[in-house]
Amino acid sequence: MNLENLYLTILWPIRWLVEVVLVSWHWIFSHLGMDPNGGLTWVLSIVGLVVVVRAALIPVFVRQIKNQRKMLEVAPQIKKIQDKYKGKRDQLSREAMSREMMEFYRETGTNPLASCLPLLIQLPIFGALFAVLNNAQHGKVGVGMLNASLSKSFGSASLFDFAPLHDSFQSAMNHAGGPVVPVMIVAAVMVALMVASQFYTQLQIMSKNISDETKNSPQFRQQRTLMYFLPFIFLFSGFAFPLGVMFYWLTTNIWTMVQQFLVIRAMPTPGSEAARLREERLAKKREALIAAGKLQVAAPAVDGGEAVVTRVNTQRQQPVSNKRKKKRR
Amino acid sequence: MTTAHAPGFTRPAAASAMHVARTLRLLPRNIVVALLRGYRAVISPLYGDVCRYYPSCSAYALGAVQQHGLGRGGFLAARRVVRCHPWAVGGVDDVPESHSSHFHVNRYGFVVDDHAHHGQGKG
């Protein structure tokens, strides 16, 4: 009881924010003409919550990618440290190398690693959504904007009138009047979608966005094997979590998948399969532009040097009065 | 080695009672050690190298709970995770040393009571 109170107190500010976002989206959808008590309206509000949270986290993600790129500048020095410990496989040497590398990253401000906090940052939001749904289901008022009538509406909302958002696979299975099959079907479909999206995200990274060097490490092979166990985590959560929370999780999974796809396409890890594919795409595009006469290739400045590709200027030079010409210089 | 003499019998009994009490006191942290070791074996490798510090956040958490117990160790670990964000410079960041030396960490990572001679430093 005490622990639960402590947990709810810590979550209070996050719950308050989650309610603000949920109620705001609900207000928007209701005013767009959707049924205020409809399950779809509340599901879309949860999707809206994901959009707000993930959009707020974009700077964190961008910073992580930038960190990854910084290491290229100091690659020779890193290689030096690695060479120093070459062939030393004992634990003490490995540890000394890790320490030296970390110290080097810190001194030069080139730490390429992503950081741990973002992995956990969605956990309290998750917990808060859980508490909000649970509260609403028991007809209790929220901590902020979720007033009595909204709370009642959220707690009794049901997607397409057959899958109540507060129900889980487990509660539907153990229902007093026999198992509620529709809820179980919706939960099962969502688990399948979650496994698929998570698997695809992981596969994209593992197969395309990892440098050849990392790919050959034993650590990577271990990681790859473990990837196949991940779906079991979703099987457990899909069994126990209410549909409302599952909708949040599924949407955030899909967001991750799309974001990862775009980033791998536009900013792949140097030396990876995705980077080679991007080079090929760019080369093809350049050839097409040359063929269309929009780019011109000049002979290399030095013998054996790289050809200089410049853009053909098709824009008319705007006439400028003498007075302005002077000013510009 | 004390034998059948009555006065000699009470001393080891008291010592072993102390040992049991201390082992019980170490129980919560050992449960968490088991959980952390499970996490580090199964879930951690999925993420690959992520942490901006050495030792990594989970290794730090393990060390902190082993050395400082659930309360202080947990607090130290939470503080470390909060510090590990994309704008942090990172670097070497070890668990602060513990002054208590009534126990040692065995090769499975569990904290066991030094029943023989407490109060002395561990090896």
Side-chain angles (χ1 to χ4, degrees), chain A residues 85-95 97 217-218:
Chain A
Y85 291 95
K86 207 170 193 174
K88 290 182 184 163
R89 296 243 151 255
D90 60 301
Q91 206 178 344
L92 276 177
S93 305
R94 296 274 102 190
E95 195 188 314
M97 184 174 105
S217 67

Side-chain angles (χ1 to χ4, degrees), chain A residues 59-60 63-64 67 94-96 98-100 102-103 105-106 109 111-120 202 206 219 222-223 226-228 230 233, chain B residues 39-58 78 80-94:
Chain A
V60 172
R63 176 74 198 189
Q64 286 182 334
N67 282 342
R94 296 274 102 190
E95 195 188 314
S98 299
R99 278 176 187 275
E100 203 170 318
M102 274 300 174
E103 214 28 56
Y105 289 147
R106 191 186 62 78
N111 200 323
L113 294 149
S115 78
C116 303
L117 186 61
L119 295 175
L120 301 174
Q202 208 80 7
M206 297 254 188
Q219 210 184 356
Q222 188 194 1
Q223 206 175 335
L226 278 167
M227 192 179 93
Y228 297 99
L230 199 70
I233 298 172
Chain B
Y39 170 85
R40 279 170 60 74
V42 179
I43 299 174
S44 222
L46 279 171
Y47 293 115
D49 285 340
V50 170
C51 191
R52 291 173 74 76
Y53 292 96
Y54 184 91
S56 71
C57 284
S58 62
R80 159 59 107 72
V81 173
V82 170
R83 256 181 291 151
C84 191
H85 54 76
W87 285 269
V89 281
V92 173
D93 175 38
D94 286 305

Side-chain angles (χ1 to χ4, degrees), chain B residues 2-47:
Chain B
T2 46
T3 44
H5 281 297
F9 194 73
T10 50
R11 274 184 56 124
S16 88
M18 285 272 286
H19 171 57
V20 168
R22 275 206 301 270
T23 303
L24 276 176
R25 247 192 53 196
L26 292 174
L27 191 64
R29 75 176 72 178
N30 278 326
I31 292 170
V32 173
V33 164
L35 288 175
L36 280 170
R37 289 209 37 161
Y39 170 85
R40 279 170 60 74
V42 179
I43 299 174
S44 222
L46 279 171
Y47 293 115

Side-chain angles (χ1 to χ4, degrees), chain B residues 18-19 22-23 25-26 29 67 98-105 111-122:
Chain B
M18 285 272 286
H19 171 57
R22 275 206 301 270
T23 303
R25 247 192 53 196
L26 292 174
R29 75 176 72 178
Q67 298 301 319
S98 163
H99 299 299
S100 173
S101 50
H102 294 320
F103 54 81
H104 69 271
V105 176
V111 185
V112 285
D113 180 35
D114 283 336
H115 43 97
H117 22 246
H118 45 263
Q120 279 175 30
K122 55 182 169 149

Side-chain angles (χ1 to χ4, degrees), chain A residues 5-239:
Chain A
N5 277 342
L6 178 73
Y7 172 73
L8 289 178
T9 312
I10 294 171
L11 275 187
W12 194 92
I14 301 153
R15 272 174 78 184
W16 193 85
L17 283 173
V18 164
E19 284 181 16
V20 168
V21 178
L22 264 182
V23 171
S24 304
W25 280 110
H26 183 260
W27 185 87
I28 291 169
F29 290 127
S30 305
H31 277 74
L32 286 175
M34 291 182 74
D35 174 16
N37 297 322
L40 191 62
T41 317
W42 283 108
V43 167
L44 285 179
S45 302
I46 292 173
V47 172
L49 175 68
V50 174
V51 170
V52 169
V53 170
R54 295 306 300 261
L57 285 177
I58 285 177
V60 172
F61 191 65
V62 169
R63 176 74 198 189
Q64 286 182 334
I65 297 166
K66 279 189 180 162
N67 282 342
Q68 227 179 62
R69 300 290 177 270
K70 262 191 208 159
M71 199 182 54
L72 285 179
E73 301 159 18
V74 287
Q77 283 121 297
I78 297 286
K79 183 101 191 353
K80 229 182 195 171
I81 299 178
Q82 282 170 340
D83 284 346
K84 190 170 142 193
Y85 291 95
K86 207 170 193 174
K88 290 182 184 163
R89 296 243 151 255
D90 60 301
Q91 206 178 344
L92 276 177
S93 305
R94 296 274 102 190
E95 195 188 314
M97 184 174 105
S98 299
R99 278 176 187 275
E100 203 170 318
M101 294 261 262
M102 274 300 174
E103 214 28 56
F104 175 78
Y105 289 147
R106 191 186 62 78
E107 280 164 12
T108 50
T110 53
N111 200 323
L113 294 149
S115 78
C116 303
L117 186 61
L119 295 175
L120 301 174
I121 220 158
Q122 286 209 77
L123 229 50
I125 299 165
F126 219 67
L129 188 63
F130 220 111
V132 169
L133 256 176
N134 213 23
N135 227 11
Q137 186 200 347
H138 294 113
K140 279 191 242 168
V141 186
V143 294
M145 279 181 80
L146 203 72
N147 61 29
S149 69
L150 280 171
S151 186
K152 191 165 178 287
S153 166
F154 190 28
S156 54
S158 173
L159 184 64
F160 308 131
D161 291 325
F162 66 68
L165 297 186
H166 64 255
D167 261 351
S168 66
F169 191 98
Q170 190 182 16
S171 71
M173 201 171 71
N174 301 324
H175 196 261
V180 190
V181 180
V183 173
M184 291 162 75
I185 292 174
V186 171
V189 168
M190 282 172 77
V191 168
L193 287 174
M194 264 155 81
V195 170
S197 60
Q198 178 78 31
F199 203 75
Y200 183 70
T201 305
Q202 208 80 7
L203 203 69
Q204 273 190 100
I205 301 173
M206 297 254 188
S207 66
K208 284 190 191 158
N209 205 32
I210 280 175
S211 65
D212 296 341
E213 204 176 321
T214 319
K215 248 184 185 170
N216 292 325
S217 67
Q219 210 184 356
F220 173 76
R221 257 170 259 147
Q222 188 194 1
Q223 206 175 335
R224 197 172 183 139
T225 321
L226 278 167
M227 192 179 93
Y228 297 99
F229 288 104
L230 199 70
F232 290 101
I233 298 172
F234 292 123
L235 286 185
F236 168 75
S237 62
F239 183 72

